Amino acid sequence: MKRLVLGALLLAALGGCAGDKGRELFDTAQFEEKQNNREHAKQLYQEIVTKHPDSPLAKQAQERLAALGGK
């Protein structure tokens, strides 16, 4: 039983880290956009869409990609 609980906690922790990474990428992409570094922003948004497709941020990243003219 302890192993099951420990495994569940580990999976929850890993899932949380993935969300944090997606948020970090999105925040960095927004910063790059504000700095007029559109190409790097597009790369970061694309990375979110590719690596975190189920994240709520993926939809926002896709919208920003469309606004910036895609990849």
Side-chain angles (χ1 to χ4, degrees):
M1 183 67 177
K2 284 184 180 181
R3 287 184 182 162
L4 182 61
V5 171
L6 184 59
L9 289 173
L10 180 61
L11 286 174
L14 290 174
C17 290
D20 291 344
K21 181 64 175 170
R23 169 52 67 186
E24 184 180 318
L25 286 169
F26 192 83
D27 290 345
T28 303
Q30 287 187 315
F31 175 79
E32 291 294 341
E33 240 187 288
K34 289 176 184 169
Q35 298 297 313
N36 288 324
N37 191 352
R38 295 167 52 103
E39 288 306 312
H40 190 221
K42 289 193 286 185
Q43 290 171 355
L44 294 169
Y45 288 132
Q46 186 61 52
E47 184 175 346
I48 294 167
V49 171
T50 302
K51 292 184 177 179
H52 308 283
D54 297 327
S55 165
L57 292 173
K59 183 177 184 214
Q60 290 178 293
Q62 192 68 49
E63 291 169 356
R64 292 308 311 141
L65 277 170
L68 293 171
K71 190 167 182 180

